Amino acid sequence: MSFKSAIHLLLTTFMLFYVMQFAQANVQIGGSGPTFNVTGRVNVTNDTPLGSIISEKFISSAYNAIVVYDISEGTTGAIGFSTTATLSNGNDVYETGTPGIGVRYFVTVSSDPFFGSSQTGEYPIQNGSFKWVLNPTATGTRNFTIPVAVQFVKTGAIDSATTITSIPAVKVTAFNHTTSTWSKTDIVSGTSSVTITKSTCSQPGSPTINLPQVRASAFPSAGSVSGEKPFSIDSNCSGNVKFQFTFKLTSDFYNSSKSILNNKLTGPGAAKGYGIQIVDENNNEIDANNAIYKTTTDSNNFHKSLKARYYRTNDMVQPGKIESALLYTFDYY
C-alpha cells in the first residue's frame, strides 16, 4: 500500500547435477531445489490503489544448480524460468488463487564470467518466462545458487479472504545447443501461506519547511551550503506493518545523485544559482536515485529525520527567494 506526498521548502539443484542425462551435450545443467514455499504477509484494503505493491519481496537464495561446460561440441545453453499463469496487470503480474491479489517473480542470475552471459543481476519473469542464456568460453564446472523473489500486488477488489494459499508455480527448464530441454525441480511452489492484513496509515499533512534567511556571503563558491533546517517524515498506522520510503524522481531535482532541488521560482526576486539540498540527520548527502529507507520489524509508526539546506549550484548567482518541492513514495505492508 502506498501514497505520495509533497514537501514545500520555502525561502530558499544439489548441485549433484545428474550429468549422465547430458552425456553428449556441450552444456550440462541441473537444478535440484529446494522449491521455495512462500510465507509472509500482505497488507491491502479496497482503498489501496490498483497496481500498488502490498508486500515486501520474499526472497529465497537456496535453490541449488550446477553447470558443466564441454565446449568441444558447441558453446551455448540456457536456464529457463516459466509460469503458465494468467497475467492480471501488465506483463509481469500473475493471478493468484485470491481475488484482487497478483504476484510478481524476480530471478537473480550470476555475474560470474564463467557463465559467459551478458545477463547479470535481477530480472522479472515477464509474459510467462525468463531465459538466462549461457555462452561458455572455457571448460569447467560450477555449483551455485539462484535467488528468487516473490512480491504481491493489488489487482482488483479485495474480498474477505484472510490468507493466500495458492500462487502460480515457477518451473525450471534446462536447454543446450541441441535445443533439447530437460525439466528440473520447480523453483517456486504453487502453494503458499501468506496472511492478509488490512491496516491503514496516515501522515500529518505535507509539511512546509521554512528555511532561515542567509546572506550571500555564506556561499563563497559553488558547492557551498548553509541555512540547514531539520524536518521529518512521519506516519501512524492502525496496525503493525513494515515501511519503505523512497524519493520520487521528478524534474524538481537539479541533481538527483546529491538530492539537490531546483528553485521553482522565476522572474524578479527569484534567487539564481542556488538550490535546496536534502541530507540525512548527520548531514550526509543522499543519492535520491538509490536511497531506500525501510524497516525490518513490525511497527505502527514510522519516523525518518532529514535536513534541508541551501546549496550554491553555480558560479554566477543572484540573491533572492527559493521555493522547492520534494515528492516521495511511502509504502507499508
Side-chain angles (χ1 to χ4, degrees):
M1 184 174 233
S2 67
F3 52 79
K4 299 179 177 65
S5 296
I7 292 177
H8 296 285
L9 308 172
L10 304 176
L11 282 180
T12 46
T13 304
F14 159 44
M15 299 230 83
L16 226 189
F17 210 79
Y18 296 111
V19 173
M20 62 186 69
Q21 298 181 36
F22 305 93
Q24 304 303 316
N26 67 311
V27 180
Q28 304 164 26
I29 300 170
S32 60
T35 302
F36 184 25
N37 293 293
V38 181
T39 61
R41 180 187 66 211
V42 303
N43 186 71
V44 61
T45 71
N46 279 316
D47 292 330
T48 305
L50 292 179
S52 294
I53 295 170
I54 57 174
S55 78
E56 61 183 310
K57 278 186 178 179
F58 303 113
I59 300 174
S60 172
S61 58
Y63 189 89
N64 294 303
I66 185 171
V67 169
V68 180
Y69 287 154
D70 177 2
I71 64 172
S72 62
E73 296 183 21
T75 59
T76 61
I79 304 175
F81 306 88
S82 64
T83 180
T84 58
T86 302
L87 286 165
S88 63
N89 189 307
N91 66 356
D92 65 348
V93 179
Y94 305 93
E95 290 183 358
T96 69
T98 303
I101 296 178
V103 63
R104 283 192 178 104
Y105 300 105
F106 304 86
V107 176
T108 299
V109 294
S110 175
S111 60
D112 188 335
F114 172 83
F115 299 107
S117 179
S118 62
Q119 301 163 292
T120 62
E122 184 182 79
Y123 290 84
I125 297 178
Q126 296 179 328
N127 298 311
S129 65
F130 166 69
K131 183 181 286 187
W132 183 31
V133 179
L134 311 176
N135 293 285
T137 58
T139 58
T141 300
R142 186 74 87 245
N143 291 304
F144 61 106
T145 58
I146 303 174
V148 60
V150 178
Q151 190 167 51
F152 293 90
V153 177
K154 181 178 178 181
T155 59
I158 304 301
D159 63 14
S160 58
T162 57
T163 57
I164 304 169
T165 59
S166 173
I167 64 174
V170 177
K171 299 184 177 300
V172 178
T173 305
F175 303 79
N176 69 11
H177 70 294
T178 68
T179 70
S180 297
T181 62
W182 290 265
S183 295
K184 300 301 170 183
T185 302
D186 290 356
I187 195 169
V188 177
S189 171
T191 59
S192 61
S193 180
V194 178
T195 302
I196 300 172
T197 60
K198 298 180 179 180
S199 298
T200 58
C201 297
S202 61
Q203 288 186 285
S206 297
T208 296
I209 298 93
N210 294 310
L211 274 65
Q213 291 186 341
V214 178
R215 291 185 176 275
S217 58
F219 307 90
S221 60
S224 299
V225 298
S226 187
E228 71 178 38
K229 181 71 175 288
F231 70 98
S232 64
I233 305 295
D234 298 278
S235 183
N236 297 304
C237 302
S238 61
N240 287 333
V241 294
K242 292 185 174 70
F243 299 90
Q244 178 172 294
F245 162 72
T246 56
F247 294 104
K248 185 172 178 60
L249 299 179
T250 67
S251 59
D252 290 318
F253 279 102
Y254 168 82
N255 182 337
S256 58
S257 66
K258 291 180 175 288
S259 293
I260 302 170
L261 298 162
N262 283 309
N263 185 5
K264 297 176 63 176
L265 300 178
T266 59
K272 296 181 180 179
Y274 298 94
I276 293 178
Q277 183 180 38
I278 307 301
V279 295
D280 71 14
E281 64 270 35
N282 297 314
N283 294 317
N284 296 311
E285 290 187 341
I286 298 170
D287 181 356
N289 302 292
N290 300 303
I292 300 177
Y293 302 101
K294 61 173 63 178
T295 60
T296 57
T297 58
D298 287 347
S299 175
N300 63 2
N301 63 79
F302 176 86
H303 175 85
K304 177 61 182 175
S305 296
L306 298 167
K307 292 180 181 179
R309 65 188 184 186
Y310 300 110
Y311 188 104
R312 181 171 172 177
T313 60
N314 206 303
D315 289 332
M316 301 296 293
V317 296
Q318 174 180 302
K321 293 183 178 181
I322 300 178
E323 180 177 325
S324 299
L326 173 68
L327 298 179
Y328 58 87
T329 298
F330 196 80
D331 298 304
Y332 54 99
Y333 27 70

